[in-house]
């Protein structure tokens, strides 16, 4: 019996110990590719995904002085996609639905990009504060607007990911809690709806991780 609807996102376990956060590190346990003599089908799929993402992010970054920059968004994509998909399993904690997880990813990434850009490419960073073609009378306002938009980037990244994961889980929980008091016909419709929502959540799990990685790549491309 849940105390409230949001108790499904409680990080505490039944022993009142917050060990559910250990689900974040399950990928390290089940993905040791270097110990296999021959690559498995799973490792081949992962390698194809990594190479596809590498080409996509390399196109977004353009000709930079850091050719290995694509490994950062690829690592973010793999970590977030794994945790999003893991949260769809029964009785497994959804770490990506908490701001403690999403903000921990977004904030250090944004701070490192900003420090790198302002230290090494100060003129380029100042140029981004005033878009090309801005009237002289609006330049001071555009600087304030651009600075605010830069500051809220880690917040929007983290809130977008957490809110999208929470929304689907809450909707599935609401439909599941109404099942025992319904007729057989209505219950069968709800079960079909749950399957459709589960399929949609699988798509959302990968789309949100891709959006997070793409936005991080675009933010980093502005610092070079």
């Amino acid at each position: 019996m849940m105390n409230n609807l949001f108790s499904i996102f409680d990080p505490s376990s039944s022993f009142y110990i917050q060990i559910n956060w250990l689900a974040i590190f399950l990928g390290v346990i089940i993905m040791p590719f270097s110990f296999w003599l021959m690559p498995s089908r799973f490792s081949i799929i992962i390698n194809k995904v990594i190479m596809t993402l590498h080409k996509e992010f390399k196109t977004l970054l353009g000709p930079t002085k850091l050719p290995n920059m694509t490994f950062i968004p690829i690592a973010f994509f793999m970590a977030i996609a794994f945790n999003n998909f893991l949260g769809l399993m029964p009785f497994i904690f959804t770490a990506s639905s908490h701001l403690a997880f999403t903000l921990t990813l977004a904030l250090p990434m944004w701070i490192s990009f900003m420090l790198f850009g302002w230290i090494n490419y100060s003129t380029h960073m100042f140029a981004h504060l005033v878009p090309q073609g801005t009237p002289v009378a609006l330049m001071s306002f555009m600087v304030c607007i651009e600075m605010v938009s830069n500051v809220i980037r880690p917040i929007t990244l983290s809130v977008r990911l957490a809110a999208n994961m929470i929304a689907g889980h809450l909707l599935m929980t609401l439909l599941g809690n109404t099942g025992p008091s319904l007729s057989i016909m209505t219950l069968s419709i709800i079960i079909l709806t749950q399957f459709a929502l589960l399929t949609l959540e699988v798509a959302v799990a990968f789309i949100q991780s891709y959006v997070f990685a793409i936005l991080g790549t675009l933010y980093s491309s502005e610092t070079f």
Side-chain angles (χ1 to χ4, degrees):
M1 189 67 182
M2 293 188 301
N3 297 326
N4 56 71
L5 188 60
F6 288 92
S7 62
I8 60 173
F9 303 104
D10 187 5
S12 298
S13 64
S14 58
F15 298 102
Y16 301 100
I17 302 175
Q18 295 185 2
I19 61 175
N20 280 323
W21 292 109
L22 295 178
I24 302 174
F25 304 103
L26 287 180
V28 181
I29 301 175
I30 67 173
M31 297 172 64
F33 298 143
S34 60
F35 294 100
W36 293 89
L37 183 62
M38 297 292 293
S40 62
R41 295 179 181 178
F42 182 66
S43 63
I44 293 174
I45 293 174
I46 294 296
N47 289 329
K48 288 183 178 295
V49 170
I50 290 175
M51 292 305 300
T52 303
L53 292 174
H54 172 72
K55 295 178 182 177
E56 182 74 19
F57 296 147
K58 188 177 181 180
T59 303
L60 292 175
L61 288 172
T64 64
K65 298 179 181 179
L66 301 175
N68 297 326
M69 189 68 184
T70 57
F71 289 112
I72 296 177
I74 289 174
F76 278 114
F77 174 85
M78 298 301 293
I80 296 172
F82 177 79
N83 282 280
N84 289 349
F85 183 74
L86 191 66
L88 298 175
M89 302 298 175
F91 306 107
I92 295 183
F93 175 63
T94 309
S96 55
S97 63
H98 284 258
L99 285 176
F101 176 79
T102 58
L103 195 60
T104 302
L105 295 178
L107 190 59
M109 178 182 65
W110 176 80
I111 292 175
S112 61
F113 289 155
M114 288 297 103
L115 289 177
F116 179 82
W118 283 106
I119 292 173
N120 297 282
Y121 304 98
S122 301
T123 305
H124 183 71
M125 296 296 290
F126 276 116
H128 270 288
L129 296 178
V130 181
Q132 188 176 4
T134 304
V136 179
L138 298 177
M139 283 186 178
S140 59
F141 296 101
M142 290 304 299
V143 170
C144 296
I145 293 173
E146 289 295 324
M147 288 182 64
V148 171
S149 65
N150 284 331
V151 169
I152 65 173
R153 280 177 177 179
I155 301 175
T156 56
L157 274 178
S158 56
V159 171
R160 180 188 291 110
L161 177 58
N164 280 280
M165 298 309 298
I166 288 176
H169 285 63
L170 286 180
L171 186 56
M172 295 180 68
T173 304
L174 284 172
L175 291 176
N177 289 338
T178 58
S181 59
L182 299 176
S183 61
I184 299 298
M185 181 64 68
T186 309
L187 184 60
S188 60
I189 295 175
I190 288 182
I191 291 175
L192 293 177
T193 307
Q194 289 274 41
F195 276 112
L197 281 175
L198 184 61
T199 305
L200 179 63
E201 282 298 299
V202 172
V204 169
F206 288 100
I207 290 173
Q208 288 304 314
S209 57
Y210 181 73
V211 168
F212 190 99
I214 284 289
L215 290 178
T217 305
L218 292 176
Y219 295 160
S220 65
S221 63
E222 295 180 1
T223 61
F224 302 111

